[in-house]
Amino acid sequence: MRTTRAVFLDRDGVLIEDVHYLSDPDRLKLIAGAAQAVVSLRAAGYKVVVASNQSGVARGLLSLTRLGQIHKRLRADLKAGGARLDALYFCPHHPEGAVARYRRTCLCRKPGTGMIRQASRRFKLNLERSFFIGDTTVDLKAAQDAGCQAILVRTGKGGKDGSYGARPDAVFDDLPAAAAWILAQG
């Protein structure tokens, strides 16, 4: 029986401020309290995993190398706050991308559940006891399709994308508030 639980996080608008296609590591800014939220979740035994669509790669707005630099900065900023991620997954694809190599429909791009399933296999997760915190209905749909509880935060897009009719299981102002609620659930 799988007993390990996870909290999946979208990156932009949940963990960091959404600057619309972040392509410069110097523009990365953690949302207030995000590092401490990650610390608290991990201390409670949750795996903390980022699952993020990064179609800017397919759109030609940044390279994989540049995305790697952004993620290196993200990990460094989290570490400065005493936090670390268990894993960071991203999907560089988009079906209408300008870069042929990344122009495709895939299972990893949310609302697909590929990134969640990959983490589930790696960490032997119980997805029914796991949570996904996102700022879009795309995140909520991916969470629900994977069997996780879907939490919406009002930071970032705040669920106003309207891409899917997915409804959240809970809504909070930001990641720290969502993390506090998860921890209160036991």
Side-chain angles (χ1 to χ4, degrees), residues 6-72:
V7 176
F8 293 92
L9 305 174
D10 180 45
R11 191 190 80 176
D12 304 302
V14 176
L15 191 57
I16 66 172
E17 291 184 6
D18 187 352
V19 296
H20 195 64
Y21 295 114
L22 177 65
S23 61
D24 181 354
D26 291 335
R27 293 188 65 205
L28 185 145
K29 185 175 179 189
L30 290 176
I31 287 181
Q36 185 55 48
V38 171
V39 168
S40 299
L41 290 166
R42 291 193 77 246
Y46 287 92
K47 297 291 185 188
V48 178
V49 177
V50 169
S52 179
N53 287 347
Q54 291 300 313
S55 69
V57 175
R59 296 174 193 276
L61 301 174
L62 74 159
S63 66
L64 282 181
T65 300
R66 190 66 157 175
L67 183 59
Q69 293 167 347
I70 290 167
H71 288 159
K72 182 177 180 180

Side-chain angles (χ1 to χ4, degrees), residues 5 7 37 40-41 44 46 129-133 148-153 168-186:
R5 302 174 295 170
V7 176
S40 299
L41 290 166
Y46 287 92
R129 296 184 65 217
S130 296
F131 301 86
F132 194 116
I133 303 173
C148 300
Q149 290 188 54
I151 298 176
L152 178 70
V153 290
D169 294 305
V171 180
F172 298 96
D173 286 338
D174 55 20
L175 174 57
W181 180 79
I182 289 169
L183 295 170
Q185 305 305 302

Side-chain angles (χ1 to χ4, degrees), residues 2 115-125 127:
R2 292 179 175 217
M115 292 182 280
I116 298 168
R117 301 284 178 208
Q118 187 175 355
S120 179
R121 287 188 300 274
R122 176 178 175 189
F123 296 113
K124 298 178 176 46
L125 299 176
L127 293 176

Side-chain angles (χ1 to χ4, degrees), residues 105-121:
T105 301
C106 65
L107 298 176
C108 59
R109 181 173 173 73
K110 296 178 293 183
T113 59
M115 292 182 280
I116 298 168
R117 301 284 178 208
Q118 187 175 355
S120 179
R121 287 188 300 274

